[in-house]
Amino acid sequence: MTPPAPTSAALPRLLDGLLSRAATLAGFASAGMLVSDDSRGVLLPLPGIGSAATPRRVRSDCPLVRRALNSPDTVHASGRSLSGTDLDGPGVARVCLLRLSNDGAEPTRLLVLTDADPTAEFTDQHRTALTALRTLLDDAATTALDTEEHKRRWQDLEQSRQLPAERTLVDERLDDAVTAVDCMSAIVRTCSALAGKSVLLFDRRGRTIAAATPDTTGHVTAPALTDILRAHNPGTVTAPDPVVLAAGPTTGLTRRKIVTPVVERGEHFGWLVIDEHPSSLSPTDEYAAARSARRIGAQFLVQRRIARVAWNAKSSLTRQLVRGTGALDDLAAGGEYLGVNIHARRVLVYILASHHDLADSERVLAEWMERDLGVEVLSTRGSEGILLLVEARENVGALATVANVKDALARAANSLFRSQEFIAGVSSVCEPTALARAYRESREAVLCIDRFTDRTIHRIFAVDDLGPARLFLAHGEISAVRHFVDDMLGPLLRGAPGTADLLHTLQCWFDTARNVRGSAQRLGVHENTVRLRLARVHALTGLDVAGNASDQLSAQTALLVLRLQGHPALETHDGNRVTPEANTEPAEAPRHDRPAPSGSPAKDRRSA
């Protein structure tokens, strides 16, 4: 059983009486006693003893104090000799100092007499009277200090007795919080209630995950995590060990804070911060911070496992939707459990990934697209690349949806795959039952891009950008396709004067649905100029693009290959070419080195 706290009410009264007696015998108005604090280099008043005139804090290196500490006799000073010293103050015109303790005794005790009359004399009779009381005053001061030490030890004993009970309560309350639905927020609220202070939980990026304040405290504005950690150099964090950060100009903090890293199994997830408001910090607060951080770290791991399981389940559902291997009703049941609307119309994106880590890229890219477009994005991965199923909004048209997806992919390519190859094929908006066909079409688009485009740039094409010719380009022999292009448009690829305008006009002719007026408006020329250029194409290549459907298909297919290759004479206004920020220089168009055929082009040489 813990003994009762010591009571010493009579001792201060006795010491006050002795000090008053000493002041009267020495001719001073009041008396006090200072005790040295060597750790801070100051002398402080003896607790509960002395008058209001006794200095609250005196530096040990004060000249008058240093003289008194180094002399067995009294030190008397008045008037100007007090000016600028720690002993100067309101109502103090003269002082008398006398060291009470013997040399080497710790702590040092110093008698301080003060008076408001600078003209009063200090005689040998006064000095003798003080010397006679010296031993009695020192014995009383020693007894008072011993009593204070006894009280401090008793308080430490009482606190050590209460600490296990308090820690048991902390663990019980935190265990209850773990079972709550909003587990992390519940742990933060419980920690705040146990400590009676404001508590904040940050992730590693400094974003606030949860915050709580005691019921008796209003809203407390806390500094950013970067400002808090500026005063703390954690190094490599391996354990949730609390650190108390001091307040002051060196740290930039207005109040002390307990900063605890949230670490579990060697992985650092964030920071738990307890603010010293509205009450002072205690050892129990540090214990509550450490235990809360451990439980929060465990919850981070649990939530990560749950998220991974959910992600894998969604990935499996995505593969089933694309393959069409499951009954739609069964897939709908699984989708409802995962919060996925499988009946939504979607755009399928096939991304060829050759150099980056698919395991990381799949999730990062899908989350990036979801944030950018504000719609649900399902994803899965395979041996060749990544599949995304991007939900189509009901109030947005099909063409606008595909354009939005391409734009978002371009932004993602520049942000996430700045220095890596990124090739994507985008399907049209389709129903869930048509996803298998969308997969085949977008994969064919990617094969076309991969076979005929420069790998130093990001390329994104929609299936509709390529048309049916993608079948020929995706599966035909590359050398045969290049020979085909040269056979069809070779005379326009030699760099002769005017041939670039002919290629550009030919592209505009097909882009405007073979409309002379539309082509002229886009090119900014007269309609007859368009007709003359088409006739010139006919004369050079033998392709009657104005009147022969077979020639039109051949020319369109050859132009598509040139556009995939990035020929400088052809427009790329559709945004399919995305130049990474790390490589902004335009790619040089491939050159065709086959010699021009002799004689006039013949119909039997052309084949669609």
Side-chain angles (χ1 to χ4, degrees), residues 17-32 111 113-114 130 133:
L18 289 174
L19 290 173
S20 298
R21 180 64 176 168
T24 302
L25 291 176
F28 282 81
S30 62
L111 176 66
L113 306 175
T114 59
L130 284 179
L133 287 174

Side-chain angles (χ1 to χ4, degrees), residues 27-301:
F28 282 81
S30 62
M33 194 174 295
L34 299 178
V35 181
S36 65
D37 185 348
D38 294 336
S39 63
R40 291 186 286 178
V42 296
L43 285 89
L44 303 174
L46 190 67
I49 306 298
S51 65
T54 303
R56 298 293 93 188
R57 180 187 179 98
V58 179
R59 290 176 298 173
S60 301
D61 59 356
C62 176
L64 290 176
V65 173
R66 190 165 57 247
R67 282 176 53 196
L69 295 179
N70 294 329
S71 173
D73 297 328
T74 58
V75 175
H76 182 266
S78 63
R80 293 182 178 179
S81 60
L82 291 178
S83 179
T85 68
D86 295 341
L87 299 171
D88 190 14
V92 178
R94 67 188 184 107
V95 299
C96 180
L97 305 178
L98 176 63
R99 191 190 73 201
L100 300 177
S101 56
N102 297 323
D103 288 339
E106 294 294 339
T108 304
R109 278 86 66 186
L110 185 67
L111 176 66
V112 180
L113 306 175
T114 59
D115 194 74
D117 184 7
T119 61
E121 294 184 357
F122 184 70
T123 65
D124 291 341
Q125 184 180 358
H126 294 148
R127 184 176 288 106
T128 302
L130 284 179
T131 303
L133 287 174
R134 180 177 186 173
T135 302
L136 183 60
L137 287 170
D138 188 42
D139 291 343
T142 301
T143 303
L145 290 172
D146 290 343
T147 302
E148 288 297 321
E149 178 65 16
H150 185 195
K151 289 172 61 177
R152 185 189 63 80
R153 292 182 178 180
W154 178 86
Q155 290 173 352
D156 290 344
L157 179 63
E158 180 66 15
Q159 188 176 53
S160 64
R161 184 185 67 84
Q162 294 177 355
L163 197 57
E166 293 176 355
R167 292 186 172 183
T168 300
L169 177 62
V170 167
D171 289 329
E172 290 177 352
R173 294 281 300 275
L174 290 176
D175 288 341
D176 292 339
V178 170
T179 61
V181 176
D182 55 341
C183 181
M184 291 190 189
S185 297
I187 293 175
V188 172
R189 289 194 301 269
T190 302
C191 182
S192 176
L194 290 168
K197 301 172 185 66
S198 300
V199 180
L200 298 100
L201 176 62
F202 299 95
D203 65 8
R204 292 188 63 181
R205 298 181 180 179
R207 296 175 297 188
T208 303
I209 298 176
T213 56
D215 296 336
T216 57
T217 307
H219 177 71
V220 177
T221 302
L225 179 63
T226 53
D227 297 332
I228 297 174
L229 295 182
R230 191 175 294 121
H232 175 49
N233 185 18
T236 303
V237 179
T238 58
D241 298 328
V243 176
V244 179
L245 300 183
T250 57
T251 62
L253 302 177
T254 57
R255 294 185 294 269
R256 291 194 303 166
K257 290 174 175 55
I258 298 177
V259 178
T260 309
V262 178
V263 179
E264 186 64 23
R265 297 189 180 181
E267 188 168 0
H268 183 201
F269 295 101
W271 301 90
L272 184 71
V273 178
I274 298 182
D275 190 15
E276 192 177 33
H277 180 81
S279 57
S280 300
L281 298 177
S282 68
T284 303
D285 295 341
E286 295 185 45
Y287 181 80
R291 304 303 292 174
S292 298
R294 290 300 295 266
R295 285 165 172 80
I296 291 173
Q299 290 304 311
F300 268 113
L301 286 180

Side-chain angles (χ1 to χ4, degrees), residues 377-402:
V377 178
L378 303 178
S379 68
T380 188
R381 63 179 180 270
S383 58
E384 295 181 350
I386 299 170
L387 283 184
L388 303 180
L389 295 184
V390 183
E391 184 181 8
R393 296 182 183 273
E394 295 182 358
N395 57 344
V396 180
L399 294 179
T401 298
V402 173

